Amino acid sequence: MKHVIAIYPGTFDPPTNGHLDLIQRGSNIFDELIVAILRNPEKEPPLFSLAERRSMLEELTKDFENVRVETFAGLLVDYAMQVGAGAVLRGIRAISDYEYELQMALMNRKLDPQLETVFMMPAETYSYVSSRLVKEIVDLGGSVHGLIPELVEERLHVKVNGSAAAGNAAGGNRRKSASERPGRRK
Ligand code: PNS
């Protein structure tokens, strides 16, 4: 039987319940799943450092025996070759994801025809959840309770508001003025 190693790449800034849902689904169908955090994203600078994202993902995936967390830089196809991966796992939440994902999958196929991209859908409960929106909502004083793991929720509140107490668990975070928010992103 073939042993299939898959990579689940992304920036995970921060990891959401949608990411975790996909990791769980991926771990069920692949022999090994590597959650691979991109080291130097070209987009905006991440809110969480690489070490912080790695430690959150390691904690969140510790019960999955066939999942490990790594980081990578450069081309995904080169990293896939390096770790012997035959598949890339990506999530598609809605039609709006499709165009970007299709382009990326086809470009990766052009670069390495042996590497397959496998798309999976997260549970519909998370179909509207994105790391970008989660950060924006917490930054503006809203609740994201239930959309991200509690561990991430606490760390996000510490990062944005300077304390975990403001908005964890019950989701009742008090709005802070801009000057009160030490970690507020510009
Ligand atoms: O989910 P994200 O954060 O949008 O992830 C994007 C990611 C990391 C999958 C993509 O940017 C990537 O693979 N970057 C590595 C560089 C690369 O191979 N670029 C060409 C992709 S076609």
Side-chain angles (χ1 to χ4, degrees):
M1 273 277 278
K2 211 169 172 189
H3 182 93
V4 182
I5 302 174
I7 301 173
Y8 179 33
T11 39
F12 305 104
D13 185 42
T16 66
N17 282 344
H19 291 131
L20 263 193
D21 180 275
L22 221 71
I23 290 170
Q24 181 162 25
R25 288 171 201 279
S27 81
N28 285 335
I29 64 165
F30 296 112
D31 298 297
E32 281 179 55
L33 182 66
I34 303 173
V35 179
I37 314 169
L38 179 65
R39 284 209 288 274
N40 304 307
E42 280 180 13
K43 303 188 258 185
E44 60 196 56
L47 177 63
F48 287 94
S49 71
L50 188 64
E52 288 169 330
R53 284 175 284 149
R54 187 177 189 156
S55 105
M56 285 189 278
L57 281 165
E58 278 173 349
E59 180 64 29
L60 295 167
T61 59
K62 65 178 193 298
D63 293 333
F64 297 104
E65 277 182 8
N66 61 345
V67 175
R68 66 177 197 272
V69 182
E70 303 281 357
T71 68
F72 79 105
L75 282 178
L76 182 65
V77 291
D78 291 340
Y79 176 67
M81 178 91 76
Q82 197 186 309
V83 295
V88 173
L89 173 65
R90 292 289 290 174
I92 291 212
R93 293 163 297 189
I95 290 290
S96 48
D97 284 339
Y98 182 73
E99 211 171 322
Y100 169 65
E101 294 297 335
L102 177 74
Q103 192 181 17
M104 207 156 56
L106 293 179
M107 188 61 86
N108 282 330
R109 180 180 284 168
K110 171 80 181 148
L111 294 170
D112 180 357
Q114 304 302 316
L115 187 65
E116 285 297 343
T117 300
V118 175
F119 294 115
M120 293 185 89
M121 288 167 291
E124 56 273 27
T125 342
Y126 306 127
S127 61
Y128 57 91
V129 180
S130 74
S131 299
R132 183 182 62 79
L133 280 182
V134 158
K135 283 183 286 194
E136 185 177 318
I137 289 162
V138 170
D139 192 33
L140 297 173
S143 170
V144 291
H145 190 64
L147 304 181
I148 52 177
E150 285 198 7
L151 154 98
V152 177
E153 195 178 348
E154 277 166 28
R155 291 186 197 180
L156 188 54
H157 279 289
V158 170
K159 185 70 84 179
V160 174
N161 300 314
S163 87
N168 67 3
N173 47 332
R174 170 180 80 83
R175 250 172 218 281
K176 287 191 171 191
S177 68
S179 60
E180 276 183 295
R181 290 185 231 140
R184 193 170 194 276
R185 309 186 83 201
K186 298 282 176 287

